């Protein structure tokens, strides 16, 4: 059954598990050990989901980097979190080029897509792993699962540690609150470097639901996906919801499959909330 869908390409639960274990094995063979920090800089993609998956099954700590940050800010987050391996989209190679000499904790740079000479290719790294690697260690409930940084609105971003037990309980609570089940289809376009998108993804997979992942926010693409895939739950920020409501094409699509719309990152005005309830609650 599809665990993840990217456009027209689906990835089954078994493949997702095997690929996550394969990546964890490959990283172990690079020298990473339980509770070492693994960094990720990039937009939503299958490698991004594997980054989370590998950490979930092995005890590595997932430490995300906001792709909107300027190079000095990237330097701070990567260095402050002591990332040992940094996986990044090739599109961000230029931002890393000027600061990589400062990232002294990083022993290996891994590029998704086109790789500069100072980085190894993600595909090559993944190919070197074994999903049945007997050395992989299952994390304990008290191990740190995520090290994700705050937005830094009141100063420098602060790294927040979340243990596996807390992440699991949060996933169960989100699944219960949204009444997600195996037949549901969720849509995520919020960036996976934020805690919200990963919370929704894990809640869906806790209940065996399918998650459709978009790499960026595009109103027309969202309308088409909801109608075509019969999306039942989606997650976005209030500004995104307002942009959907303001798009004159909204009435051209059948959005009746939606049963829950989650929002986070900011408060929603009462006016927009009422508009959303009227339009999506039909």
């Amino acid at each position: 059954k599809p665990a993840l869908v990217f456009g027209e390409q689906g990835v089954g639960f078994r493949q997702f598990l095997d690929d996550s274990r394969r990546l964890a094995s490959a990283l172990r063979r690079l020298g990473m050990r339980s509770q070492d920090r693994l960094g990720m800089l990039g937009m939503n993609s299958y490698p991004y989901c594997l980054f989370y998956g590998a950490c979930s099954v092995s005890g590595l700590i997932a430490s995300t980097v906001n792709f909107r940050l300027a190079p000095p800010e990237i330097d701070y987050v990567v260095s402050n979190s002591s990332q040992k391996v940094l996986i990044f989209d090739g599109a961000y190679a230029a931002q890393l080029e000027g600061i990589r000499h400062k990232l002294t904790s990083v022993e290996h740079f891994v590029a998704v897509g086109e790789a500069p000479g100072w980085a190894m290719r993600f595909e090559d790294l993944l190919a070197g792993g074994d999903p049945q690697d007997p050395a992989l260690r299952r994390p304990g409930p008290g191990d740190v699962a995520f090290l994700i940084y705050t937005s830094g609105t009141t100063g420098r971003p602060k790294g927040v540690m979340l243990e596996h037990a807390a992440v699991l309980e949060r996933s169960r609570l989100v699944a219960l609150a949204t009444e997600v089940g195996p037949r549901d289809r969720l849509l995520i376009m919020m960036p996976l470097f934020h805690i919200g998108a990963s919370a929704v993804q894990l809640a869906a997979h806790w209940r065996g639901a399918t998650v459709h992942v978009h790499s960026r926010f595009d109103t027309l693409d969202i309308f088409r996906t909801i109608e075509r895939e019969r999306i039942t739950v989606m997650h976005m920020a209030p500004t995104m919801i307002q942009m959907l409501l303001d798009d004159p094409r909204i009435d051209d699509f059948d959005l009746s499959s939606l049963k829950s719309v989650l929002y986070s990152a900011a408060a929603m005005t009462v006016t927009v909330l009422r508009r959303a309830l009227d339009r999506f609650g039909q």
Side-chain angles (χ1 to χ4, degrees):
K1 178 184 176 180
L4 297 160
V5 179
F6 303 86
E8 298 181 357
Q9 181 180 2
V11 179
F13 277 93
R14 170 55 62 184
Q15 182 182 345
F16 184 31
L17 174 60
D18 284 350
D19 286 349
S20 295
R21 290 180 58 85
R22 189 185 306 278
L23 178 57
S25 171
L27 291 165
R28 186 192 66 80
R29 293 175 180 181
L30 273 187
M32 296 197 77
R33 296 296 178 260
S34 179
Q35 297 296 273
D36 280 343
R37 279 79 164 183
L38 174 64
M40 183 74 196
L41 169 63
M43 301 185 76
N44 294 359
S45 64
Y46 186 48
Y48 213 127
C49 294
L50 289 183
F51 152 77
Y52 275 121
C55 292
S56 296
V57 300
S58 70
L60 296 175
I61 298 175
S63 185
T64 61
V65 183
N66 184 338
F67 58 71
R68 300 189 182 101
L69 296 179
E73 297 169 318
I74 293 174
D75 174 14
Y76 172 75
V77 171
V78 173
S79 299
N80 186 257
S81 58
S82 299
Q83 295 175 11
K84 193 170 183 178
V85 173
L86 175 58
I87 302 172
F88 65 96
D89 284 354
Y92 299 100
Q95 285 93 317
L96 291 174
E97 177 69 49
I99 61 171
R100 63 186 179 90
H101 66 284
K102 299 180 181 180
L103 309 179
T104 56
S105 67
V106 179
E107 298 178 4
H108 300 278
F109 292 90
V110 181
V112 177
E114 186 174 352
W118 43 268
M120 65 186 305
R121 297 174 66 247
F122 180 83
E123 294 80 1
D124 295 338
L125 172 65
L126 187 61
D130 176 7
Q132 305 303 322
D133 189 340
L136 289 180
R137 172 188 172 276
R138 185 187 180 107
D143 286 342
V144 176
F146 301 156
L147 176 57
I148 297 181
Y149 279 71
T150 62
S151 59
T153 52
T154 59
R156 280 190 160 182
K158 303 167 184 65
V160 180
M161 297 182 290
L162 292 174
E163 297 176 347
H164 278 269
V167 172
L168 178 60
E169 190 62 21
R170 181 199 62 190
S171 303
R172 295 171 62 182
L173 290 171
V174 172
L176 285 169
T178 55
E179 299 181 341
V180 169
R183 295 184 179 180
D184 280 297
R185 293 163 298 282
L186 289 81
L187 176 60
I188 292 175
M189 77 291 298
M190 293 279 276
L192 284 166
F193 65 72
H194 274 313
I195 195 66
S198 69
V200 173
Q201 178 252 314
L202 286 170
H205 286 166
W206 172 255
R207 295 289 294 132
T210 297
V211 178
H212 292 254
V213 181
H214 287 186
S215 62
R216 56 176 54 84
F217 177 78
D218 180 272
T219 55
L220 183 58
D221 197 18
I222 289 170
F223 292 148
R224 288 171 172 168
T225 301
I226 294 172
E227 181 178 75
R228 182 182 66 249
E229 305 296 341
R230 307 303 295 161
I231 298 296
T232 57
V233 180
M234 65 179 180
H235 172 231
M236 53 185 56
T239 53
M240 294 176 172
I241 294 176
Q242 182 167 351
M243 290 173 70
L244 290 181
L245 294 170
D246 290 343
D247 192 314
R249 298 167 294 187
I250 189 171
D251 291 325
D252 297 338
F253 296 89
D254 178 6
L255 310 180
S256 62
S257 60
L258 284 172
K259 68 177 188 180
S260 294
V261 178
L262 306 177
Y263 72 89
S264 62
M268 188 185 295
T269 65
V270 174
T271 300
V272 175
L273 181 58
R274 285 174 174 164
R275 288 179 63 199
L277 287 169
D278 287 344
R279 181 59 186 84
F280 298 125
Q282 295 178 356

